[in-house]
Amino acid sequence: MTTQLAAPDHTGADERPKRSRTKTLLPWLVLAVWVGLMVGGYSLSGKLDSVTRDGQVDYLPASAQSTKVLQAEADLPGGENGLLVVVYERPGGLQPGDREAVERGRSELAERFGNGTDALPDIVDSADGTALMYAFPLDRDAVAEDAAATADARALLADRPSGLDAHVTGPTALGADMDEVFDAVDATLMLATAVVVALLLIITYRSPLLWLVPLASVGVAAIAAMATVYALTQVFDFTITSMSSALLIVLVFGAGTDYALLLVSRYREELHRHERPIDAMLQALRGAGPAILASAATVVAGLLCLLAADLNSISSLGPVGAAGIVAAMLVMLTLFPALLVVLGRRVFWPFVPRLGGESHKPRSGWARLGELVSRRRVVSWVVPLVVLGGLALGTLGASGTLPQLDQFARSTPDSVVGAKLIEARYPDQSGQPLTVMSRPGQSLEVLTAVEGTPGVAQAELRRSSDDWVEISVIPVDAPDTTGETATIERLRENVREVAGEEGALVGGPSAERLDEAETNRTDRNLVMPLILLVVLSILGLLLRAIVAPLVLVATVVVSYFGALGLSNLLFDHVLGFAGLESSVPLIGFLFLVALGVDYNIFLMTRVREEAVRHGTAEGTKRGLAVTGGVITSAGVVLAATFAVLASLPLVMLVEIGVLVAVGVLIDTLLVRSVVVPALTMSLGSRIWWPSRLSRTSEDSVDDRV
């Protein structure tokens, strides 16, 4: 038998060199494929801006009244109208010549934007004699280029007496200032994110070369993601907003870097066991690949749950973010490993892993933490959960929804200065116009109902078509006040009684924000449970258990509410924000649940692997010792990547960045490092129920190293 087994296998001997040559050529083939893809993908990625839209309808719920009003306005003569409000102020009181300058500016605006037949708008004096104001309507062409219209208006009004301030505000100017901010977001965010990731990689790897490889790979993933999203817009009808474009960049850099850290850690281990880098990488991919695939699948599935949302900007984030995660995963499982193999062991210089060396120190800090948690298992999960529960109480005293005029961070654009000036100088005329659309046959009855609604200062018929008649409504109360909200709700009830559900619609900027906030609440109630269900299903399939997924998801949910409470305290008492943007809780929940479960996947797949041989308690300590450093590094990188959003000039993006960064740090440093290991060791093999591993006692496992 021995002789027979030792007989030479000439066929196998011939095949081994072929397989070896194939392995050697494989990385170069992968590089060639990606070079070809980038040649075509780079030009497509540059076209993403051309399909990015930031119109108000792109951020509104598809079924809301205010959205239908915008769609109906587009069919009226002149199309969707716009409005510039010009306010002048001399703090010490108006002087001779000021009114003439205001009249001259009004005439120049009429010459630039008017059609030559409309009467000039009335100039209104403030009660204290310090300000003058008039409202100037714009037609379709001017609204289509509202940024240019606003800039032109401000340039025309520059010719005025010294000491007389002029501000251009109103819905069109606010939209233009918002667009200007969004235009600068992508370039700023890409550069800032790349710099932050590069610095953290240099600190993590302490190598002058290694950090360049994941950074370059993530850059390729970002280009691939943007090209893919652009291609998808040519096939499917979904909206790309500047918000989803910004979050795409952060997701790709954050997730891609995490995948790189996990793979490099496993690759370094295998280089101690395999002579050839290609063999070490293939083994590393077998070990880390399933966790990365499961991680990406979890985030993609969570993102696609957003398709169930009614809010256009939230719904569109689903496919955009999913495309980014898939691109990051593909690059980090193909191009990135190929680059590492081609560069060989020298890429790790000066800490080059040697064949036969130790892959990690058995008594590392993470090993000591595992021992400490093992000795104080109950305390290690009870105390942190109580702390997180206390932090969650911060959600109870949070400010309300973020007002429109407080959406800008660190700087106040001219439109906001003007709007706040009107509120101060014209307290009885600071109401923002609302729009009521009525069917032609019922317009007079609807107008009567509008005029009789408490909280309405004035109403008048404006334009009409075969399908709709426009009624302009000025409420008594200022925007974003409880009085204005009550007026909108009364208007909708009164016109519904006269014209039915679809016979009259109430819209306008304030109604749009009201619909957006209400839809965000509805979407949260639908999408959040859906995300949890999808994540639980994926974890159940991955870990082949029921108890473990329930425990992991429960810890991530507790972590989310703790992060939300702490973030609310920061927003209210440190950053001084006027409220929480209504879409932030849902977006934060998605990222923290999906990304938070990621780290638990990285940990628990290794714990399960070790538990098969050493038992659950010992396997948990070993899994924590091996993965603790790399997962913590990944969490810090991801948190820092999202924290880059805090450098942007929009409160919404700052709030998303702070919430996700705080949540990731809580999850990485406390929940995943202490709470999850403590709960796992407390439950023992029961955590794997109902899999066969749950029926294996701690004493019956193979305890050999």
Side-chain angles (χ1 to χ4, degrees):
M1 178 68 68
T2 305
T3 304
Q4 186 176 11
L5 288 175
D9 184 350
H10 298 290
T11 302
D14 292 338
E15 290 297 326
R16 280 194 293 272
K18 292 180 180 179
R19 289 197 296 267
S20 179
R21 287 195 297 271
T22 301
K23 284 184 179 181
T24 303
L25 292 175
L26 182 60
W28 294 102
L29 178 61
V30 171
L31 292 178
V33 170
W34 274 107
V35 168
L37 290 173
M38 283 300 97
V39 170
Y42 185 77
S43 60
L44 289 180
S45 67
K47 297 180 179 180
L48 184 60
D49 284 343
S50 66
V51 295
T52 300
R53 304 197 305 263
D54 289 306
Q56 191 59 33
V57 70
D58 300 314
Y59 287 86
L60 289 174
S63 62
Q65 280 197 39
S66 55
T67 307
K68 296 176 181 177
V69 166
L70 287 173
Q71 294 166 345
E73 277 188 315
D75 296 329
L76 292 174
E80 180 186 346
N81 65 346
L83 183 69
L84 291 177
V85 179
V86 181
V87 57
Y88 291 81
E89 182 197 32
R90 187 182 290 275
L94 297 172
Q95 296 180 359
D98 287 348
R99 182 173 294 274
E100 288 77 5
V102 173
E103 292 173 348
R104 182 171 64 252
R106 179 184 58 172
S107 299
E108 290 175 349
L109 286 181
E111 183 178 350
R112 167 66 176 81
F113 300 110
N115 55 23
T117 60
D118 295 333
L120 294 176
D122 293 333
I123 297 174
V124 182
D125 293 76
S126 65
D128 61 1
T130 62
L132 298 168
M133 175 185 70
Y134 59 86
F136 198 94
L138 302 174
D139 61 13
R140 180 199 292 266
D141 292 336
V143 171
E145 301 178 356
D146 57 355
T150 303
D152 288 350
R154 287 170 178 159
L156 288 172
L157 301 178
D159 181 18
R160 60 183 186 273
S162 176
L164 180 65
D165 298 325
H167 306 282
V168 179
T169 184
T172 299
L174 283 167
D177 288 338
M178 183 68 74
D179 288 343
E180 184 178 354
V181 170
F182 273 130
D183 288 342
V185 162
D186 284 352
T188 303
L189 186 60
M190 179 75 82
L191 177 61
T193 304
V195 169
V196 167
V197 169
L199 289 174
L200 290 173
L201 287 174
I202 291 171
I203 294 171
T204 301
Y205 290 138
R206 294 173 294 164
S207 168
L209 179 61
L210 181 57
W211 65 274
L212 286 168
V213 184
L215 186 62
S217 300
V218 171
V220 170
I223 294 172
M226 291 187 286
T228 302
V229 171
Y230 173 78
L232 289 174
T233 63
Q234 306 306 298
V235 180
F236 302 101
D237 182 24
F238 64 90
T239 303
I240 304 296
T241 65
S242 291
M243 179 192 75
S244 58
S245 180
L247 292 176
L248 172 66
I249 295 172
V250 172
L251 273 175
V252 172
F253 270 84
T257 306
D258 278 4
Y259 301 155
L261 289 169
L262 185 68
L263 186 59
V264 167
S265 175
R266 196 64 179 251
Y267 178 50
R268 190 193 292 268
E269 284 185 49
E270 299 300 334
L271 283 172
H272 292 288
R273 305 185 182 106
H274 299 273
E275 181 179 358
R276 297 198 310 164
I278 183 64
D279 296 326
M281 179 56 72
L282 290 175
Q283 192 61 37
L285 286 171
R286 293 188 190 99
I292 293 174
L293 286 170
S295 166
T298 303
V299 180
V300 167
L303 283 162
L304 292 181
C305 290
L306 295 180
L307 289 171
D310 189 30
L311 202 67
N312 289 336
S313 58
I314 298 297
S315 178
S316 68
L317 180 59
V320 173
I325 293 297
V326 171
M329 177 195 69
L330 290 177
V331 169
M332 291 311 180
L333 290 179
T334 56
L335 174 63
F336 179 58
L339 287 171
L340 288 176
V341 171
V342 167
L343 292 171
R345 294 175 183 267
R346 59 185 177 275
V347 75
F348 289 93
W349 186 87
F351 304 101
V352 179
R354 303 298 180 187
L355 183 64
E358 289 293 331
S359 60
H360 63 276
K361 296 179 181 179
R363 297 302 301 172
S364 67
W366 291 103
R368 290 192 293 273
L369 177 62
E371 293 290 347
L372 178 62
V373 170
S374 179
R375 292 195 298 270
R376 299 287 187 270
R377 299 179 185 183
V378 176
V379 172
S380 295
W381 64 262
V382 169
V383 172
L385 291 182
V386 170
V387 172
L388 291 174
L391 290 176
L393 296 177
T395 60
L396 300 178
S399 301
T401 303
L402 184 71
Q404 181 188 27
L405 298 183
D406 295 293
Q407 297 181 75
F408 299 90
R410 293 188 306 280
S411 64
T412 305
D414 184 63
S415 57
V416 173
V417 174
K420 293 188 174 182
L421 176 61
I422 292 173
E423 288 183 6
R425 297 291 183 262
Y426 299 87
D428 297 330
Q429 303 179 53
S430 58
Q432 185 166 247
L434 300 171
T435 301
V436 176
M437 303 298 291
S438 169
R439 296 298 182 183
Q442 300 171 306
S443 59
L444 294 180
E445 292 87 346
V446 171
L447 177 61
T448 301
V450 170
E451 291 175 331
T453 301
V456 171
Q458 65 182 67
E460 62 176 345
L461 295 172
R462 293 286 299 274
R463 296 176 302 172
S464 65
S465 67
D466 293 338
D467 297 320
W468 294 102
V469 173
E470 179 187 29
I471 301 173
S472 179
V473 181
I474 305 296
V476 172
D477 298 286
D480 299 310
T481 60
T482 55
E484 184 201 42
T485 299
T487 298
I488 294 171
E489 292 171 347
R490 286 193 294 264
L491 267 175
R492 287 179 167 170
E493 178 63 25
N494 289 351
V495 301
R496 185 188 63 80
E497 292 178 357
V498 172
E501 292 290 344
E502 297 296 328
L505 306 168
V506 178
S510 295
E512 292 163 6
R513 289 192 301 281
L514 182 63
D515 288 339
E516 184 180 353
E518 178 59 35
T519 305
N520 267 305
R521 285 191 290 270
T522 304
D523 285 346
R524 286 198 296 269
N525 294 336
L526 171 64
V527 177
M528 283 183 175
L530 185 59
I531 292 172
L532 291 178
L533 181 61
V534 168
V535 169
L536 275 171
S537 300
I538 293 175
L539 284 175
L541 292 173
L542 178 68
L543 299 176
R544 286 163 284 175
I546 294 176
V547 174
L550 289 172
V551 170
L552 296 179
V553 170
T555 60
V556 172
V557 171
V558 172
S559 176
Y560 163 75
F561 282 106
L564 183 61
L566 178 57
S567 297
N568 275 325
L569 295 175
L570 293 174
F571 298 152
D572 287 350
H573 303 294
V574 178
L575 299 176
F577 294 158
L580 186 67
E581 208 282 331
S582 57
S583 63
V584 170
L586 176 55
I587 295 175
F589 182 84
L590 166 67
F591 289 151
L592 289 179
V593 169
L595 297 173
V597 166
D598 268 7
Y599 299 131
N600 285 322
I601 288 175
F602 296 157
L603 170 65
M604 294 303 287
T605 51
R606 188 59 180 258
V607 167
R608 196 182 196 284
E609 180 182 328
E610 299 288 345
V612 171
R613 294 180 295 167
H614 306 290
T616 300
E618 182 63 23
T620 301
K621 290 186 286 185
R622 288 172 177 262
L624 181 61
V626 173
T627 65
V630 64
I631 295 177
T632 300
S633 297
V636 171
V637 169
L638 184 64
T641 304
F642 270 92
V644 172
L645 291 173
S647 66
L648 300 178
L650 288 176
V651 170
M652 174 186 67
L653 293 177
V654 173
E655 290 180 337
I656 292 173
V658 170
L659 173 58
V660 177
V662 168
V664 168
L665 289 177
I666 288 175
D667 189 77
T668 303
L669 301 177
L670 181 62
V671 174
R672 194 270 314 150
S673 299
V674 178
V675 176
V676 170
L679 284 169
T680 302
M681 286 188 278
S682 294
L683 290 169
S685 59
R686 289 169 294 182
I687 199 166
W688 310 115
W689 185 87
S691 71
R692 186 170 59 183
L693 188 58
S694 67
R695 298 187 292 274
T696 304
S697 69
E698 296 292 309
D699 296 330
S700 64
V701 297
D702 182 2
D703 198 33
R704 291 173 297 175
V705 178

